[in-house]
mmCIF file with all atom_site columns, all heavy atoms in Angstrom:
data_model
loop_
_atom_site.group_PDB
_atom_site.id
_atom_site.type_symbol
_atom_site.label_atom_id
_atom_site.label_alt_id
_atom_site.label_comp_id
_atom_site.label_asym_id
_atom_site.label_entity_id
_atom_site.label_seq_id
_atom_site.pdbx_PDB_ins_code
_atom_site.Cartn_x
_atom_site.Cartn_y
_atom_site.Cartn_z
_atom_site.occupancy
_atom_site.B_iso_or_equiv
_atom_site.pdbx_formal_charge
_atom_site.auth_seq_id
_atom_site.auth_comp_id
_atom_site.auth_asym_id
_atom_site.auth_atom_id
_atom_site.pdbx_PDB_model_num
ATOM 1  N N   . ASP X 1 192 ? 122.561 115.213 79.546 1.00 97.00 ? 236 ASP X N   1
ATOM 2  C CA  . ASP X 1 192 ? 121.985 116.379 78.853 1.00 97.00 ? 236 ASP X CA  1
ATOM 3  C C   . ASP X 1 192 ? 120.448 116.238 78.720 1.00 97.00 ? 236 ASP X C   1
ATOM 4  O O   . ASP X 1 192 ? 119.908 115.896 77.753 1.00 97.00 ? 236 ASP X O   1
ATOM 5  C CB  . ASP X 1 192 ? 122.630 116.518 77.502 1.00 97.00 ? 236 ASP X CB  1
ATOM 6  C CG  . ASP X 1 192 ? 122.059 117.731 76.772 1.00 97.00 ? 236 ASP X CG  1
ATOM 7  O OD1 . ASP X 1 192 ? 121.692 118.680 77.444 1.00 97.00 ? 236 ASP X OD1 1
ATOM 8  O OD2 . ASP X 1 192 ? 122.036 117.724 75.483 1.00 97.00 ? 236 ASP X OD2 1
ATOM 9  N N   . VAL X 1 193 ? 119.836 116.615 79.906 1.00 97.00 ? 237 VAL X N   1
ATOM 10 C CA  . VAL X 1 193 ? 118.455 116.297 79.985 1.00 97.00 ? 237 VAL X CA  1
ATOM 11 C C   . VAL X 1 193 ? 117.706 117.359 79.093 1.00 97.00 ? 237 VAL X C   1
ATOM 12 O O   . VAL X 1 193 ? 117.757 118.531 79.219 1.00 97.00 ? 237 VAL X O   1
ATOM 13 C CB  . VAL X 1 193 ? 117.952 116.550 81.497 1.00 97.00 ? 237 VAL X CB  1
ATOM 14 C CG1 . VAL X 1 193 ? 116.455 116.426 81.551 1.00 97.00 ? 237 VAL X CG1 1
ATOM 15 C CG2 . VAL X 1 193 ? 118.675 115.656 82.361 1.00 97.00 ? 237 VAL X CG2 1
ATOM 16 N N   . GLN X 1 194 ? 116.961 116.725 78.112 1.00 96.00 ? 238 GLN X N   1
ATOM 17 C CA  . GLN X 1 194 ? 116.257 117.537 77.100 1.00 96.00 ? 238 GLN X CA  1
ATOM 18 C C   . GLN X 1 194 ? 114.765 117.063 76.893 1.00 96.00 ? 238 GLN X C   1
ATOM 19 O O   . GLN X 1 194 ? 113.914 117.867 76.426 1.00 96.00 ? 238 GLN X O   1
ATOM 20 C CB  . GLN X 1 194 ? 116.976 117.551 75.720 1.00 96.00 ? 238 GLN X CB  1
ATOM 21 C CG  . GLN X 1 194 ? 118.328 118.259 75.750 1.00 96.00 ? 238 GLN X CG  1
ATOM 22 C CD  . GLN X 1 194 ? 118.282 119.786 75.924 1.00 96.00 ? 238 GLN X CD  1
ATOM 23 O OE1 . GLN X 1 194 ? 117.193 120.279 75.988 1.00 96.00 ? 238 GLN X OE1 1
ATOM 24 N NE2 . GLN X 1 194 ? 119.391 120.324 76.232 1.00 96.00 ? 238 GLN X NE2 1
ATOM 25 N N   . ASP X 1 195 ? 114.632 115.880 77.216 1.00 96.00 ? 239 ASP X N   1
ATOM 26 C CA  . ASP X 1 195 ? 113.228 115.239 76.941 1.00 96.00 ? 239 ASP X CA  1
ATOM 27 C C   . ASP X 1 195 ? 112.931 114.051 77.969 1.00 96.00 ? 239 ASP X C   1
ATOM 28 O O   . ASP X 1 195 ? 113.755 113.812 78.843 1.00 96.00 ? 239 ASP X O   1
ATOM 29 C CB  . ASP X 1 195 ? 113.219 114.767 75.472 1.00 96.00 ? 239 ASP X CB  1
ATOM 30 C CG  . ASP X 1 195 ? 114.305 113.836 75.180 1.00 96.00 ? 239 ASP X CG  1
ATOM 31 O OD1 . ASP X 1 195 ? 114.987 113.270 76.106 1.00 96.00 ? 239 ASP X OD1 1
ATOM 32 O OD2 . ASP X 1 195 ? 114.562 113.603 73.949 1.00 96.00 ? 239 ASP X OD2 1
ATOM 33 N N   . LEU X 1 196 ? 111.885 113.432 77.709 1.00 96.00 ? 240 LEU X N   1
ATOM 34 C CA  . LEU X 1 196 ? 111.380 112.386 78.554 1.00 96.00 ? 240 LEU X CA  1
ATOM 35 C C   . LEU X 1 196 ? 112.510 111.217 78.684 1.00 96.00 ? 240 LEU X C   1
ATOM 36 O O   . LEU X 1 196 ? 112.811 110.737 79.811 1.00 96.00 ? 240 LEU X O   1
ATOM 37 C CB  . LEU X 1 196 ? 110.061 111.762 78.101 1.00 96.00 ? 240 LEU X CB  1
ATOM 38 C CG  . LEU X 1 196 ? 109.318 110.834 79.003 1.00 96.00 ? 240 LEU X CG  1
ATOM 39 C CD1 . LEU X 1 196 ? 109.142 111.390 80.369 1.00 96.00 ? 240 LEU X CD1 1
ATOM 40 C CD2 . LEU X 1 196 ? 108.076 110.382 78.354 1.00 96.00 ? 240 LEU X CD2 1
ATOM 41 N N   . ALA X 1 197 ? 113.025 110.914 77.554 1.00 96.00 ? 241 ALA X N   1
ATOM 42 C CA  . ALA X 1 197 ? 114.045 109.751 77.539 1.00 96.00 ? 241 ALA X CA  1
ATOM 43 C C   . ALA X 1 197 ? 115.247 110.238 78.372 1.00 96.00 ? 241 ALA X C   1
ATOM 44 O O   . ALA X 1 197 ? 115.798 109.415 79.186 1.00 96.00 ? 241 ALA X O   1
ATOM 45 C CB  . ALA X 1 197 ? 114.476 109.500 76.062 1.00 96.00 ? 241 ALA X CB  1
ATOM 46 N N   . SER X 1 198 ? 115.755 111.417 78.143 1.00 97.00 ? 242 SER X N   1
ATOM 47 C CA  . SER X 1 198 ? 117.018 111.736 78.817 1.00 97.00 ? 242 SER X CA  1
ATOM 48 C C   . SER X 1 198 ? 116.737 112.106 80.311 1.00 97.00 ? 242 SER X C   1
ATOM 49 O O   . SER X 1 198 ? 117.519 111.910 81.204 1.00 97.00 ? 242 SER X O   1
ATOM 50 C CB  . SER X 1 198 ? 117.694 112.957 78.185 1.00 97.00 ? 242 SER X CB  1
ATOM 51 O OG  . SER X 1 198 ? 116.888 113.961 77.864 1.00 97.00 ? 242 SER X OG  1
ATOM 52 N N   . LEU X 1 199 ? 115.489 112.450 80.558 1.00 98.00 ? 243 LEU X N   1
ATOM 53 C CA  . LEU X 1 199 ? 115.031 112.712 81.962 1.00 98.00 ? 243 LEU X CA  1
ATOM 54 C C   . LEU X 1 199 ? 115.098 111.290 82.676 1.00 98.00 ? 243 LEU X C   1
ATOM 55 O O   . LEU X 1 199 ? 115.567 111.248 83.803 1.00 98.00 ? 243 LEU X O   1
ATOM 56 C CB  . LEU X 1 199 ? 113.633 113.187 82.020 1.00 98.00 ? 243 LEU X CB  1
ATOM 57 C CG  . LEU X 1 199 ? 113.080 113.422 83.411 1.00 98.00 ? 243 LEU X CG  1
ATOM 58 C CD1 . LEU X 1 199 ? 113.755 114.527 84.188 1.00 98.00 ? 243 LEU X CD1 1
ATOM 59 C CD2 . LEU X 1 199 ? 111.549 113.721 83.338 1.00 98.00 ? 243 LEU X CD2 1
ATOM 60 N N   . ARG X 1 200 ? 114.566 110.342 82.009 1.00 97.00 ? 244 ARG X N   1
ATOM 61 C CA  . ARG X 1 200 ? 114.678 109.036 82.623 1.00 97.00 ? 244 ARG X CA  1
ATOM 62 C C   . ARG X 1 200 ? 116.075 108.513 82.904 1.00 97.00 ? 244 ARG X C   1
ATOM 63 O O   . ARG X 1 200 ? 116.448 107.946 83.948 1.00 97.00 ? 244 ARG X O   1
ATOM 64 C CB  . ARG X 1 200 ? 113.850 107.997 81.724 1.00 97.00 ? 244 ARG X CB  1
ATOM 65 C CG  . ARG X 1 200 ? 113.950 106.505 82.288 1.00 97.00 ? 244 ARG X CG  1
ATOM 66 C CD  . ARG X 1 200 ? 113.126 105.561 81.302 1.00 97.00 ? 244 ARG X CD  1
ATOM 67 N NE  . ARG X 1 200 ? 111.743 105.847 81.331 1.00 97.00 ? 244 ARG X NE  1
ATOM 68 C CZ  . ARG X 1 200 ? 110.909 105.225 82.240 1.00 97.00 ? 244 ARG X CZ  1
ATOM 69 N NH1 . ARG X 1 200 ? 111.512 104.442 83.224 1.00 97.00 ? 244 ARG X NH1 1
ATOM 70 N NH2 . ARG X 1 200 ? 109.649 105.431 82.276 1.00 97.00 ? 244 ARG X NH2 1
ATOM 71 N N   . GLU X 1 201 ? 116.953 108.723 81.905 1.00 98.00 ? 245 GLU X N   1
ATOM 72 C CA  . GLU X 1 201 ? 118.319 108.395 82.083 1.00 98.00 ? 245 GLU X CA  1
ATOM 73 C C   . GLU X 1 201 ? 118.929 109.084 83.334 1.00 98.00 ? 245 GLU X C   1
ATOM 74 O O   . GLU X 1 201 ? 119.641 108.451 84.202 1.00 98.00 ? 245 GLU X O   1
ATOM 75 C CB  . GLU X 1 201 ? 119.215 108.811 80.886 1.00 98.00 ? 245 GLU X CB  1
ATOM 76 C CG  . GLU X 1 201 ? 119.047 108.014 79.686 1.00 98.00 ? 245 GLU X CG  1
ATOM 77 C CD  . GLU X 1 201 ? 119.493 106.642 80.015 1.00 98.00 ? 245 GLU X CD  1
ATOM 78 O OE1 . GLU X 1 201 ? 120.511 106.382 80.512 1.00 98.00 ? 245 GLU X OE1 1
ATOM 79 O OE2 . GLU X 1 201 ? 118.701 105.646 79.504 1.00 98.00 ? 245 GLU X OE2 1
ATOM 80 N N   . ALA X 1 202 ? 118.619 110.371 83.450 1.00 98.00 ? 246 ALA X N   1
ATOM 81 C CA  . ALA X 1 202 ? 119.200 111.154 84.522 1.00 98.00 ? 246 ALA X CA  1
ATOM 82 C C   . ALA X 1 202 ? 118.670 110.608 85.879 1.00 98.00 ? 246 ALA X C   1
ATOM 83 O O   . ALA X 1 202 ? 119.398 110.485 86.860 1.00 98.00 ? 246 ALA X O   1
ATOM 84 C CB  . ALA X 1 202 ? 118.870 112.632 84.412 1.00 98.00 ? 246 ALA X CB  1
ATOM 85 N N   . ILE X 1 203 ? 117.347 110.333 85.903 1.00 98.00 ? 247 ILE X N   1
ATOM 86 C CA  . ILE X 1 203 ? 116.801 109.927 87.179 1.00 98.00 ? 247 ILE X CA  1
ATOM 87 C C   . ILE X 1 203 ? 117.256 108.562 87.523 1.00 98.00 ? 247 ILE X C   1
ATOM 88 O O   . ILE X 1 203 ? 117.624 108.297 88.817 1.00 98.00 ? 247 ILE X O   1
ATOM 89 C CB  . ILE X 1 203 ? 115.232 109.957 87.106 1.00 98.00 ? 247 ILE X CB  1
ATOM 90 C CG1 . ILE X 1 203 ? 114.841 111.477 87.021 1.00 98.00 ? 247 ILE X CG1 1
ATOM 91 C CG2 . ILE X 1 203 ? 114.551 109.257 88.392 1.00 98.00 ? 247 ILE X CG2 1
ATOM 92 C CD1 . ILE X 1 203 ? 113.299 111.740 86.919 1.00 98.00 ? 247 ILE X CD1 1
ATOM 93 N N   . GLY X 1 204 ? 117.540 107.751 86.544 1.00 98.00 ? 248 GLY X N   1
ATOM 94 C CA  . GLY X 1 204 ? 118.187 106.434 86.887 1.00 98.00 ? 248 GLY X CA  1
ATOM 95 C C   . GLY X 1 204 ? 119.511 106.559 87.515 1.00 98.00 ? 248 GLY X C   1
ATOM 96 O O   . GLY X 1 204 ? 119.914 105.791 88.401 1.00 98.00 ? 248 GLY X O   1
#
Side-chain angles (χ1 to χ4, degrees):
Chain X
D236 182 25
V237 178
Q238 294 291 353
D239 55 14
L240 189 56
S242 47
L243 178 68
R244 179 180 286 277
E245 285 298 312
I247 291 178

